[in-house]
Amino acid sequence: MNEQLAQSVRRLIDATIRTEVDVATLTAAQGKIDGATEQLSASLIPVSFGVRQTSDGQSTALGNVVIGARNPVAPPLVIHNDADGAVHADFVLGAAYEGPAAHVHGGVCALILDHVLGATAHLPGKPAYTGTLTIRYLRGTPLGQPLRVQAHVDRIDGPKTFAVGHIADAEGITVEAEGVFIHPRKAQR
């Protein structure tokens, strides 16, 4: 149910950005939104959502800013693991992610690439943290168009995993990235 609420809030965010209704309608809508916020705030967890276990024993990060189904700021991406170890996700970004007119903000592209490259670097029981992330913007990434992000591990050197990836639209690659992800010693035991 919380995932459906997040989807409703995503639609609200988009409508808030793009609306051109009159002041009376804005005022009425704000009152309803404030009332709903009050209702939802009646019982909150004391900290961030974090990682939880699903009923089938899998870990899920429902509050994550990139993949979190309960986070209305997240697109959310659904990461698919390919047979060759690579990962990909297909998605569309709307008004909430705009930078230059009609294009995705470069920081949002970097956020998505950081997460997806990191998804390739995680090993079972061994989390990986971003050491460096190098981004090359080849051209603008369009808003409202189907996009695909892909990544794979280039090589592993001790506690470091080197990953590469990109975001592409129907015309080709818009942004490329290379990242070094570190497996902390604590997690390697």
Side-chain angles (χ1 to χ4, degrees):
M1 187 64 187
N2 286 337
E3 289 84 359
Q4 288 122 347
L5 174 62
Q7 184 59 37
S8 292
V9 175
R10 284 185 195 100
R11 289 193 315 270
L12 175 63
I13 290 168
D14 186 75
T16 299
I17 293 167
R18 299 184 314 126
T19 192
E20 293 189 344
V21 299
D22 59 65
V23 173
T25 303
L26 284 175
T27 302
Q30 181 180 352
K32 292 176 184 175
I33 292 166
D34 289 345
T37 302
E38 190 69 27
Q39 282 181 301
L40 293 171
S41 297
S43 178
L44 300 173
I45 60 175
V47 294
S48 69
F49 193 81
V51 176
R52 306 266 175 104
Q53 298 293 347
T54 61
S55 59
D56 62 358
Q58 299 293 314
S59 295
T60 186
L62 295 176
N64 184 282
V65 71
V66 178
I67 61 169
R70 284 182 65 164
N71 186 340
V73 176
L77 266 60
V78 176
I79 309 284
H80 300 280
N81 295 298
D82 301 332
D84 63 359
V87 300
H88 75 274
D90 296 307
F91 59 103
V92 175
L93 296 174
Y97 305 99
E98 188 170 32
H103 291 87
V104 179
H105 191 287
V108 173
C109 292
L111 171 77
I112 290 170
L113 284 162
D114 179 46
H115 185 90
V116 175
L117 268 68
T120 68
H122 286 275
L123 303 171
K126 294 183 178 182
Y129 301 97
T130 308
T132 61
L133 184 67
T134 303
I135 305 288
R136 281 181 297 286
Y137 298 94
L138 306 178
R139 61 185 174 83
T141 302
L143 281 177
Q145 301 295 316
L147 301 170
R148 175 171 272 216
V149 61
Q150 294 178 275
H152 67 274
V153 170
D154 184 51
R155 68 186 187 283
I156 298 173
D157 184 6
K160 296 179 182 178
T161 297
F162 297 79
V164 295
H166 65 265
I167 295 174
D169 65 6
E171 296 177 23
I173 296 173
T174 63
V175 185
E176 297 176 326
E178 299 173 2
V180 179
F181 297 85
I182 311 298
H183 296 276
R185 289 180 191 209
K186 220 181 204 182
Q188 291 179 344
R189 292 182 186 177

